[in-house]
Amino acid sequence: MNVPTKLQVLEQYFGYASFRPGQEELIDALLRGQDVVGVMPTGAGKSLCYQVPALLMEGVTLVVSPLISLMKDQVAALVQNGVRGAYLNSSLTWGQYQKALRNARAGLYKIIYVAPERLLTPEFLDFAQSVEVSMVVIDEAHCVSQWGQDFRPSYLDIPDFVDKLPRRPVVSAFTATATPRVRRDILSLLRLRHPFVNVTSFDRPNLYFEVRRPKDKLQELFALLEPRREKSGIVYCATRKGVEEVCTALGERGFAATRYHAGLSDQERQKNQEDFLYDRATVMVATNAFGMGIDKSNVSFVIHYNMPKDLESYYQEAGRAGRDGQPAECFLLYSGQDVSLARFLLAHSEEGQDLDPRAQEQLAQQNERRLQAMTGYCHTTSCLREYILHYFGEHAPTQCGNCQNCLGVFQQVDVTQQAREITVCVGHLRGRYGAAMVTDVVRGSKSEKVLRQGLDRFPSYGKLRGQKEDFVREVIHTLVLQGFLEQSAGEYPTLRQGDRALELLRGEACVLLQVRREDGDAVPKKKAPQDLPKGDPQLYDRLRQVRAKLSAAQNVPVYVIFSNATLDAMAAYRPTTPAQLLEVPGVGQAKLQKYGMAFLKEIQDWARERAGQAGG
């Protein structure tokens, strides 16, 4: 009897002639009996990494999976491909469950998907101990870590289940989104033995990323969808209510849209999903309940109507676009209210209810950090792809050429004065209020709440009178992201001064707000050496002295602060504002924040002295 090869199985059952990057190495490790961990982005073909070896191994493969919809989709796809598969979860009646177990004992199935909560039940354990289990697969393995975005306490039972089997099978773990910390948890908590670990690049070069901040999200959505009427895409909303409202509005506009969320019946969800899969509906409007295991290759765009609660969720959902390798687009429609909504959903989530109070507090803090990282993505003007890849621990070029920020146009606005007033106000309020109240106080609001609490008598009251509310909120976001302010966790976060507040209050730091240019003008380029006027030797020496003092204080070499060429350019160009200093070769955002104010002050002092001498 000829044993088929892995390539023959791949072609016979799945219709592919060759493996994608990263797949073959994992398959080979499993076939030689080695535990594996595969971290691969959505669309990279994780399921084939365990399905192919499962068909080449003697016994049955058990796949631990967290979602009923995911199991159903995977089994349906296997059956279509001619593979005998089944799932065991709470969607089955008791009779159906018993029949499935009997069929499994009789060797009818090659791959069985099972919910983690079922593993240690007497019926399932008795079955698993009576058959040859060749492999245990942990799908969505990040669920084992309480620092992951979908922690499931029942995942912690998997190693105990494996230990109760008569013979230890090979164990494999797969996930699409795992930070370095979560990857360490996967290795330790699942008690893997000398695993082969393959972390493929998280990069999806064919995806274009863009963040928009529309005043009217629905109108912006219409504008995005109108030229894409013939294309297939997903619109993600944070709540069921949002799904209903958006889907209804799209239907009234003549879009072929359908909906998906946990509040619908199983029958309607199944029907709507099939309408989308078979292109009877081109747009799926859904909560994050939709998408796991949906292998629809021609999704050409994903639009997030609301900001997700973390980058793990965002990248997994956005990654459902372009699975065929063709160019695809990922848009995020952001507003400050999305942050409040995300905090509300986190506060009312069932996540972590089984943890002790201390662990719950740690989880809340971790959720807040992840939320702030997601918010930072919506505010950054650096490369969006680099921001995502850096979050997942991967080094990436600072320019990808395929995101809004690499292709877009921004201008720097110096908001140091406004930032200082806001930071002073936060100090006056002693950490008792959130961003909304701080905004009201500095703008001189006469709201009943401000007046009733006597906040109009504070020195900071009205210091930014006349400034728009959106502008003040943007400055507050920037201050939090850069460490000048800190925001507490929870549904109603408060503001307090951060570790860097004193730098700002002492005039040792500046704050720039990045604003997209409305006129589409090119970003001012760095001054080229030949464009610079002749520098003043006295100013150059003074700047060198400033550098020497900073070098001694920071205990770093002088060239780490600024090179001689950069000081020469400062002396020639003589910038007086943070935005002008950024145009000097060798001055980037980080060094501007660390050292910019010291050099600007020296240049300003020199200019005043020169003016005084000329006047005398």
Side-chain angles (χ1 to χ4, degrees), residues 57-263:
M57 292 175 175
E58 287 296 326
V60 67
T61 289
L62 302 178
V63 183
V64 182
S65 182
L67 293 176
I68 291 173
S69 60
L70 175 58
M71 295 186 211
K72 289 182 176 179
D73 295 334
Q74 293 275 20
V75 171
L78 284 173
V79 171
Q80 287 297 318
N81 289 330
V83 178
R84 295 170 300 171
Y87 55 82
L88 300 170
N89 55 45
S90 60
S91 70
L92 302 178
T93 65
W94 178 249
Q96 289 172 329
Y97 184 74
Q98 291 299 317
K99 182 179 179 181
L101 277 182
R102 286 195 300 273
N103 289 341
R105 285 180 192 274
L108 208 60
Y109 307 127
K110 194 66 178 166
I111 300 176
I112 299 174
Y113 286 77
V114 59
E117 292 80 9
R118 294 268 166 179
L119 293 176
L120 295 179
T121 60
E123 297 88 0
F124 186 81
L125 192 57
D126 180 65
F127 152 72
Q129 291 173 334
S130 67
V131 299
E132 182 184 357
V133 177
S134 56
M135 178 165 55
V136 171
V137 181
I138 299 102
D139 202 9
E140 308 299 332
H142 60 270
C143 294
V144 76
S145 172
Q146 71 181 64
W147 311 118
Q149 76 273 24
D150 298 306
F151 175 56
R152 291 278 286 268
S154 53
Y155 263 59
L156 297 171
D157 295 332
I158 295 173
D160 292 338
F161 167 76
V162 172
D163 288 345
K164 291 180 185 296
L165 297 177
R167 183 180 66 83
R168 187 186 187 276
V170 65
V171 180
S172 58
F174 294 91
T175 182
T177 51
T179 60
R181 180 175 189 173
V182 172
R183 295 204 290 270
R184 290 194 295 271
D185 275 356
I186 290 171
L187 289 168
S188 62
L189 295 174
L190 292 176
R191 302 205 291 266
L192 301 175
R193 297 182 183 176
H194 310 294
F196 171 73
V197 180
N198 192 7
V199 181
T200 61
S201 174
F202 285 91
D203 191 14
R204 297 280 304 283
N206 62 317
L207 299 186
Y208 166 81
F209 294 98
E210 181 170 333
V211 178
R212 296 190 179 188
R213 302 182 190 179
K215 292 182 179 178
D216 187 326
K217 284 192 179 186
L218 196 56
Q219 293 303 317
E220 190 75 17
L221 181 61
F222 291 154
L224 281 170
L225 292 179
E226 192 60 47
R228 296 170 177 82
R229 277 186 179 268
E230 303 305 315
K231 295 183 177 182
S232 181
I234 304 171
V235 177
Y236 279 108
C237 299
T239 64
R240 299 177 189 180
K241 180 181 178 184
V243 169
E244 295 290 342
E245 291 175 351
V246 169
C247 189
T248 299
L250 292 182
E252 291 172 351
R253 278 289 185 112
F255 291 98
T258 188
R259 59 186 180 159
Y260 191 105
H261 60 71

Side-chain angles (χ1 to χ4, degrees), residues 259-260 264-273:
R259 59 186 180 159
Y260 191 105
L264 303 176
S265 67
D266 288 345
Q267 292 81 0
E268 183 174 354
R269 280 203 304 272
Q270 185 66 31
K271 177 188 178 300
N272 294 350
Q273 180 172 301

Side-chain angles (χ1 to χ4, degrees), residues 376-505:
Y377 173 83
C378 297
H379 284 265
T380 187
T381 54
S382 64
C383 172
L384 292 174
R385 178 172 272 98
E386 183 203 20
Y387 188 102
I388 292 170
L389 297 180
H390 178 75
Y391 179 80
F392 290 113
E394 183 175 332
H395 294 291
T398 55
Q399 291 275 324
C400 75
N402 193 27
C403 79
Q404 164 199 34
N405 290 352
C406 288
L407 302 174
V409 180
F410 294 91
Q411 64 181 349
Q412 308 274 353
V413 178
D414 185 357
V415 295
T416 304
Q417 180 185 352
Q418 295 93 328
R420 196 174 291 133
E421 295 293 357
I422 290 169
T423 304
V424 169
C425 178
V426 169
H428 288 155
L429 297 180
R430 299 182 181 276
R432 291 178 294 164
Y433 300 97
M437 184 61 83
V438 172
T439 301
D440 283 348
V441 172
V442 294
R443 292 183 67 241
S445 169
K446 298 187 183 300
S447 70
E448 185 271 337
K449 191 172 182 180
V450 169
L451 299 179
R452 174 165 46 84
Q453 300 191 51
L455 302 183
D456 56 326
R457 296 193 291 272
F458 279 72
S460 300
Y461 181 76
K463 286 290 186 178
L464 298 184
R465 185 179 279 108
Q467 298 282 7
K468 292 183 178 179
E469 181 181 350
D470 288 347
F471 169 77
V472 175
R473 294 295 288 263
E474 281 295 306
V475 177
I476 290 174
H477 275 305
T478 301
L479 289 171
V480 171
L481 292 171
Q482 295 184 5
F484 297 109
L485 296 180
E486 289 182 2
Q487 199 161 35
S488 67
E491 187 177 351
Y492 303 105
T494 56
L495 289 172
R496 60 178 179 271
Q497 291 183 349
D499 294 337
R500 298 189 62 204
L502 278 179
E503 289 180 49
L504 184 59
L505 299 177

Side-chain angles (χ1 to χ4, degrees), residues 340-357:
S340 301
L341 177 58
R343 284 203 175 93
F344 174 84
L345 295 174
L346 283 169
H348 292 82
S349 168
E350 296 180 359
E351 181 186 22
Q353 288 187 352
D354 296 332
L355 302 175
D356 60 65

Side-chain angles (χ1 to χ4, degrees), residues 226-334:
E226 192 60 47
R228 296 170 177 82
R229 277 186 179 268
E230 303 305 315
K231 295 183 177 182
S232 181
I234 304 171
V235 177
Y236 279 108
C237 299
T239 64
R240 299 177 189 180
K241 180 181 178 184
V243 169
E244 295 290 342
E245 291 175 351
V246 169
C247 189
T248 299
L250 292 182
E252 291 172 351
R253 278 289 185 112
F255 291 98
T258 188
R259 59 186 180 159
Y260 191 105
H261 60 71
L264 303 176
S265 67
D266 288 345
Q267 292 81 0
E268 183 174 354
R269 280 203 304 272
Q270 185 66 31
K271 177 188 178 300
N272 294 350
Q273 180 172 301
E274 289 179 358
D275 284 347
F276 180 64
L277 290 175
Y278 294 104
D279 291 326
R280 294 189 288 269
T282 56
V283 179
M284 171 61 79
V285 186
T287 61
N288 60 7
F290 176 79
M292 297 286 277
I294 304 298
D295 193 11
K296 181 175 169 66
S297 64
N298 67 331
V299 174
S300 62
F301 64 87
V302 169
I303 301 173
H304 278 82
Y305 197 75
N306 306 103
M307 181 193 78
K309 59 185 174 63
D310 51 56
L311 272 166
E312 290 93 336
S313 302
Y314 174 69
Y315 199 46
Q316 191 171 58
E317 290 157 12
R320 287 167 189 143
R323 296 179 71 150
D324 55 3
Q326 295 299 307
E329 300 166 300
C330 306
F331 298 96
L332 196 163
L333 307 185
Y334 170 78

